[in-house]
Amino acid sequence: MGCHRRIRKTLYKGIKKTLFLLEIPEDEVSKLLSSKESLAPCDIAVFVYDSSDESSWKRATELLIDVAGHGEDTGYEVPCLIVAAKDDLDSFPMAIQNSIRVSQDMGIEALIPISSKLSDLNNIFRRIVNAAEHPHLSIPETEAGRSRKQYHRLINRSLMVVSVGVAVAIVGFATYRVYAARKNASS
């Protein structure tokens, strides 16, 4: 793959952390996701888009949904962050509302705005480390994944009710047999 590797050392909560970043071009994501275990070695996925370009935002969210769906299907769910690059430029209309909706719908952190002109890049590395250390807070969930979990919960509850009903029936039947045996023995 035409991937770019970067190593970034950062100080986080007084501890030196090393990030190994692997950039995967968007046109190679589908090839990456063709393998079931492709997300297994991944600690976090970061989706970067140009905050002034709506088509960039749409593509980033499509890739996020693809990765989230692949993780749900394979069991290799990874925490995800969305980064709005070029934050110093004017955002496209509806950018804030769209990002809030996607973050809330998928259950991940709000997007992280960055700008190399405003020199705020250290925040992004701290947020990546924090998300990797607390993955449960940033694992996205698709609508299909939510429906699947809801279905499994319903099945589990139904099985529990059926199990309790069968147990009550068995205890009732056993109690009746004991009662009938004692009644026949006393007659």
Side-chain angles (χ1 to χ4, degrees), residues 83-178:
V83 175
K86 301 181 183 178
D87 192 49
D88 54 308
L89 301 177
D90 289 333
S91 295
F92 64 90
M94 301 295 292
I96 294 172
Q97 295 89 336
N98 287 348
S99 67
I100 290 171
R101 182 185 47 78
V102 167
S103 296
Q104 289 176 344
D105 287 352
M106 298 200 77
I108 60 174
E109 283 187 50
L111 70 84
I112 305 164
I114 63 166
S115 169
S116 59
K117 289 183 180 179
L118 300 176
S119 300
D120 60 355
L121 296 178
N122 278 336
N123 179 44
I124 183 66
F125 296 113
R126 281 193 293 279
R127 300 273 297 268
I128 291 171
V129 169
N130 188 50
E133 288 181 334
H134 307 286
H136 61 284
L137 299 176
S138 298
I139 293 179
E141 189 173 52
T142 64
E143 185 64 37
R146 269 192 297 283
S147 296
R148 193 174 315 135
K149 284 182 183 176
Q150 206 171 20
Y151 174 75
H152 287 290
R153 272 189 238 121
L154 178 65
I155 294 295
N156 287 340
R157 286 183 186 141
S158 299
L159 289 174
M160 180 153 340
V161 168
V162 168
S163 298
V164 168
V166 168
V168 167
I170 290 171
V171 168
F173 182 70
T175 303
Y176 172 76
R177 297 228 355 158
V178 167

Side-chain angles (χ1 to χ4, degrees), residues 17-22 24 32 37-47 67 76-81 108-109 125 127-140:
K17 302 284 182 172
T18 302
L19 295 175
F20 294 92
L21 305 174
L22 177 64
I24 301 169
L32 173 77
E37 296 182 357
S38 61
L39 296 178
C42 186
D43 292 320
I44 187 165
V46 180
F47 300 86
V67 168
Y76 294 109
E77 297 172 307
V78 295
C80 295
L81 295 176
I108 60 174
E109 283 187 50
F125 296 113
R127 300 273 297 268
I128 291 171
V129 169
N130 188 50
E133 288 181 334
H134 307 286
H136 61 284
L137 299 176
S138 298
I139 293 179

Side-chain angles (χ1 to χ4, degrees), residues 8-17 122 125-126:
R8 167 79 170 152
K9 295 185 187 268
T10 188
L11 196 62
Y12 180 73
K13 294 184 180 178
I15 300 170
K16 189 176 185 177
K17 302 284 182 172
N122 278 336
F125 296 113
R126 281 193 293 279

